[in-house]
């Protein structure tokens, strides 16, 4: 079955960068987009961007253009999400998601808590 | 951007009740509509994709319907484990967008 395992919680200072990972298993990694969504404390869900692992094609939400970079390592079936110039408003749980076009349903990672604090 | 309007934003219901949550898109989304359930402190869980397809392992008390711009999530008989927040999401065009959520509470 599809499994997405994300890296552990991070604490970063304002202005720094954070890099979280999402390791996929149970399906052909290169076949489906991997998306990232975040959720600030007590708030709703916000789509950030996606990458196609087969060719690294990326698309980002306007809000994150210039600060968000998605990359992948096909040898380990892992996608990385790097967010730079962190501010306190970036404190959130970050999720990876895949499967929108698979016809078999949508799967979520368990989330990575990123705390931005001086 | 496609706006997703979910209603109600919260509701109180009793165990055994039939519950319906609606989601309206600001334009047609070709049935590319998903529903998620989220409990406090947990990752969202997928319930429905493609407007009406049940995610594997999800009980059949959950069902999705609708087309065009208007969609519905129905829980046929609410159980204690169903008290949670529910979100809709369109994945027809970028940026993907979510509804604001519906919190289902115990009456």
């Amino acid at each position: 079955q599809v499994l997405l395992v994300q890296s552990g919680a991070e604490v970063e200072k304002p202005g720094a960068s954070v890099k979280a990972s999402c390791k996929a298993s149970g399906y052909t990694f290169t076949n489906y987009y991997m998306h990232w969504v975040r959720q600030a404390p007590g708030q709703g869900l916000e789509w950030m961007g996606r990458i196609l692992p087969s060719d690294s094609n990326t698309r980002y939400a306007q809000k994150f253009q210039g600060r968000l970079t998605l990359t992948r390592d096909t040898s380990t079936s892992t996608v990385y999400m790097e967010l730079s110039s962190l501010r306190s408003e970036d404190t959130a749980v970050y999720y990876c998601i895949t499967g929108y076009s698979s016809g078999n349903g949508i799967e979520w990672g368990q989330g990575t808590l990123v705390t931005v604090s001086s | 951007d496609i706006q997703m309007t979910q209603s109600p934003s919260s509701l109180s219901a009793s165990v055994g009740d039939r519950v319906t949550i609606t989601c309206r898109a600001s334009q047609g989304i070709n049935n590319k509509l998903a529903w998620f359930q989220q409990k406090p402190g947990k990752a969202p869980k997928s319930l429905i994709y493609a407007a009406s397809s049940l995610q594997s392992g999800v009980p059949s008390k959950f069902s999705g319907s609708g087309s065009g711009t208007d969609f519905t999530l129905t829980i046929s008989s609410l159980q204690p484990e169903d008290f949670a927040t529910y979100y809709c999401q369109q994945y027809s065009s970028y940026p993907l967008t979510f509804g604001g959520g519906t919190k289902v509470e115990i009456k």
Side-chain angles (χ1 to χ4, degrees), chain A residues 33 35 37 39 43-47 50 59 61 95 97 100 103-111, chain B residues 34 36 38 41-46 48-50 55-56 87 89 91 94-100:
Chain A
Y33 292 109
H35 297 254
V37 162
Q39 185 173 40
Q43 302 301 307
L45 298 160
E46 178 178 36
W47 181 81
R50 61 85 171 140
R59 183 150 185 167
Y95 297 101
I97 314 171
Y100 285 100
N104 297 315
I106 298 163
E107 302 293 342
W108 294 68
Q110 85 276 17
Chain B
F36 307 112
Q38 188 176 34
K42 300 293 187 182
K45 172 188 173 184
S46 296
I48 301 287
Y49 62 97
Q55 182 91 7
S56 176
Y87 294 94
Q89 184 205 28
Y91 52 99
Y94 293 108
L96 306 193
T97 46
F98 291 86

Side-chain angles (χ1 to χ4, degrees), chain A residues 64-82:
Chain A
F64 299 103
Q65 289 277 1
R67 282 209 304 145
L68 176 63
T69 304
L70 300 180
T71 56
R72 90 319 189 210
D73 181 344
T74 55
S75 68
T76 59
S77 299
T78 301
V79 169
Y80 298 93
M81 184 281 300
E82 184 169 20

